[in-house]
Amino acid sequence: MALHVDIFTLFPEMFEGPLTESILKRAQEMGALSIGLHDIRDYTTDRHHTADDTPYGGGGGMVMKVKPLVAAIEAVVPPGEGVPVILLSPQGRVFTQAVAQELAGYGRLALVCGHYEGVDERVRELVITDEISIGDYVLTGGELAAMVVVDAVARLLPGVLGDPDAPDKDSHAAGLLEHPHYTRPPQYRGLEVPEVLLSGHAARIDEWRRRESIRRTWQRRPDLLLDAPLTEADREFLYTLAEEEIKRREEATDDEP
Ligand code: 4GX
């Protein structure tokens, strides 16, 4: 199914580069993805086109005004159709591949990019239906976060990635880090491509890749193993990794003076 994303921002020009290059460009050309960019300032009604104001209660900083934001969203997003209206903010639920998959199931989305200290709380109460954070760090605005969301969701839309058998679309590899990859030449500065990959033995290659995925995940992101769908053979390999690690630690302790 195709996806339409409406983006509300004070800086629509920021989106031009990322959306008009590479895969996101192709996704739009092939009709899988369409994007509406909406300048919140176009919905101001005062002489100076004021989109932000000082906070009630003081304390400094600026807050995005309720009227232009609500007017913009209500002018563009059809009411009562269940279109998610998502605010990008550090206070949102954390964006993961599972959230990207969830969003890729909609036909239409709206992304709202805040700036400064954020938005008047009544924007949330009136029009926001969901709030997403792309991670626990502070950006200067929601625009880059919105682009991350569009990028991660777009590549999940049918037909956008050429190969429907792309390795990470395979549920078998879901939730694990990728195994190492190699391409020609077979030797470079004394570094060799693992023999098994040159063997042409498909079953042994699959097993090697699976084990290297598990090894990497164990070394770098052991938290992911809690949710990854693992076979009994995967678990046995994990036990050998754990046993090797215990041996290494015992040897290190034996070496102590
Ligand atoms: N993942 N920021 C938004 C302003 C703001 C604050 C509150 C709405 C409500 C961020 C993130 C992020 C900084 C973008 C604060 N807007 N967005 N901005 N991390 O850090 O999404």
Side-chain angles (χ1 to χ4, degrees):
M1 201 187 23
L3 174 65
H4 180 77
V5 185
D6 289 299
I7 300 174
F8 299 87
T9 172
L10 288 172
F11 302 96
E13 323 76 45
M14 278 184 74
F15 290 83
E16 258 143 53
L19 295 179
T20 56
E21 289 295 333
S22 186
I23 292 171
L24 291 185
K25 177 184 185 178
R26 218 188 47 221
Q28 291 171 89
E29 285 169 355
M30 62 187 272
L33 175 71
S34 54
I35 293 181
L37 285 173
H38 309 283
D39 189 338
I40 296 160
R41 212 172 289 283
D42 292 346
Y43 296 85
T44 55
T45 51
D46 64 310
R47 219 160 43 87
H48 295 102
H49 303 287
T50 316
D52 60 303
D53 204 345
T54 53
Y56 278 124
M62 295 298 269
V63 174
M64 287 174 72
K65 292 173 71 62
V66 62
K67 264 178 61 180
L69 254 172
V70 169
I73 293 164
E74 286 185 345
V76 170
V77 181
E81 287 185 18
V83 178
V85 179
I86 303 167
L87 181 66
L88 284 312
S89 116
Q91 294 154 68
R93 60 187 176 126
V94 176
F95 190 59
T96 61
Q97 192 63 21
V99 176
Q101 270 153 10
E102 175 193 324
L103 299 183
Y106 286 96
R108 187 163 182 168
L109 299 173
L111 301 177
V112 181
C113 306
H115 258 263
Y116 321 113
E117 310 314 308
V119 300
D120 187 303
E121 188 62 21
R122 292 165 293 187
V123 174
R124 282 195 181 85
E125 292 174 339
L126 289 167
V127 292
I128 300 299
T129 66
D130 195 1
E131 196 160 340
I132 287 177
S133 165
I134 63 160
D136 292 337
Y137 36 78
V138 183
L139 304 171
T140 59
E143 283 76 13
L144 285 166
M147 289 182 231
V148 165
V149 169
V150 169
D151 191 274
V153 172
R155 65 184 286 290
L156 297 176
L157 300 174
V160 168
L161 292 195
D163 182 3
D165 297 328
D168 73 334
K169 290 196 163 177
D170 175 3
S171 65
H172 194 56
L176 294 176
L177 301 184
E178 290 229 337
H179 55 75
H181 299 278
Y182 295 88
T183 185
R184 284 173 288 189
Q187 299 179 342
Y188 182 70
R189 297 197 183 177
L191 300 178
E192 305 223 330
V193 175
E195 155 69 24
V196 58
L197 298 179
L198 310 174
S199 71
H201 196 309
R204 284 178 52 215
I205 292 170
D206 284 349
E207 186 191 36
W208 181 87
R209 287 178 169 165
R210 183 72 183 175
R211 287 182 169 196
E212 292 308 310
S213 276
I214 290 169
R215 186 195 309 280
R216 269 213 172 159
T217 310
W218 161 259
Q219 286 170 340
R220 301 186 186 191
R221 292 293 307 278
D223 57 301
L224 297 180
L225 292 170
L226 290 171
D227 290 323
L230 298 177
T231 66
E232 199 48 48
D234 293 338
R235 291 180 191 280
E236 273 164 30
F237 180 63
L238 261 178
Y239 291 133
T240 69
L241 291 177
E243 272 165 5
E244 281 167 19
E245 178 67 20
I246 289 166
K247 274 195 205 119
R248 269 193 299 276
R249 290 188 193 190
E250 280 168 356
E251 281 161 16
T253 314
D254 289 348
D255 289 348
E256 271 170 21

